[in-house]
Amino acid sequence: MGCRIEGIDLKVVVITGASAGIGLAATFKFVASGYKVVNLSRRACPNPDVVSIATDLSKPEFFDDVGDELISQVEEAETLHLVHNAARYLNDSALDTTDESLTSVFQTNVVAPNTLNRNLSPYMKSGSSIILVGSTLAEKAVAGCFSYATSKHAQVGLMRALCQDLAGRGIHTLMICPGFTDTEMLRSHVPDEAIDDVAAMSAFGRLVEPDEIADSIVWATEHPVLNGSVIHANLGQIEQ
């Protein structure tokens, strides 16, 4: 069950996909800031200070299996932040992607966040936030990543609609859109011989570090003035 130390406000953050990459980097930042951190992912988070709840966000019924355990971890929170970091990325085209494939990407990238928002927002008090980790492709598109770009555009709408529907509750929402970040996901889609070319697409000539995005996520939870905003964190991407 969730717990509260007498006289100390319990700060909790729930991060999806915190077993690697940006999500994992964010766990260390939040723990250092005094947060109880809960990870939702198929793999356990390697950070020993994190509570990991094993679940597969690609399954529509995922919350049925973990809802009680998750709520027990957050119900005593004075401040609760929800960070939607998990994402599914396919190399696909708008010309031949099946409805089933598109639906599977939307389940992880859009529907699962909606499920968590609906079920956890009743436990969010003033000062809480919902942060989405988007992508440069949330507001543009390139060939070969149809379902991912489409779902990230949908996340922008989800975030902005949340801003409106949460009005008056003191809960803010924000979308951080990383550029090319040195993560397991990026390296699984970009061949080693092409990494330098990808890095050269930033104005700094390098990949973004997961720690840099993690800092931006923590910062986003602390700045409600940016409610409803999309913030690009990409070192200044050079347009081709």
Side-chain angles (χ1 to χ4, degrees), residues 22-195:
I22 291 169
L24 174 58
T27 68
F28 290 101
K29 304 289 184 179
F30 279 110
V31 167
S33 295
Y35 280 85
K36 174 183 177 180
V37 181
V38 180
N39 164 51
L40 293 177
S41 65
R42 288 175 295 180
R43 296 180 295 174
C45 178
N47 183 342
D49 295 317
V50 170
V51 176
S52 281
I53 299 177
T55 191
D56 186 348
L57 299 173
S58 71
K59 306 297 183 184
E61 67 280 3
F62 79 93
F63 197 84
D64 295 338
D65 298 327
V66 301
D68 289 345
E69 183 180 2
L70 178 57
I71 288 172
S72 74
Q73 296 290 341
V74 306
E75 60 187 350
E76 299 295 332
E78 290 299 317
T79 304
L80 174 59
H81 302 292
L82 177 53
V83 178
H84 296 296
N85 169 71
R88 188 175 183 198
Y89 183 111
L90 300 179
N91 294 118
D92 54 14
S93 167
L95 303 179
D96 56 19
T97 296
T98 66
D99 294 344
E100 291 78 11
S101 180
L102 179 61
T103 298
S104 72
V105 172
F106 264 64
Q107 167 57 40
T108 298
N109 296 3
V110 181
V111 179
N114 179 65
T115 300
L116 291 169
N117 293 342
R118 183 178 66 252
N119 285 282
L120 295 189
S121 60
Y123 301 94
M124 291 183 165
K125 300 176 182 178
S126 180
S128 299
S129 72
I130 299 174
I131 308 300
L132 289 95
V133 179
S135 167
T136 299
L137 296 179
E139 295 190 321
K140 61 181 283 186
V142 296
C145 56
F146 163 66
S147 59
Y148 182 77
T150 303
S151 69
K152 290 299 178 179
H153 277 66
Q155 282 188 344
V156 174
L158 183 153
M159 182 274 297
R160 288 174 172 159
L162 275 173
C163 172
Q164 299 301 311
D165 291 337
L166 288 169
R169 289 189 52 186
I171 302 169
H172 71 279
T173 185
L174 186 70
M175 190 171 189
I176 299 291
C177 291
F180 294 111
T181 306
D182 194 0
T183 62
E184 183 179 299
M185 176 183 285
L186 177 74
R187 290 186 177 271
S188 70
H189 288 277
V190 177
D192 289 344
E193 61 270 19
I195 286 291

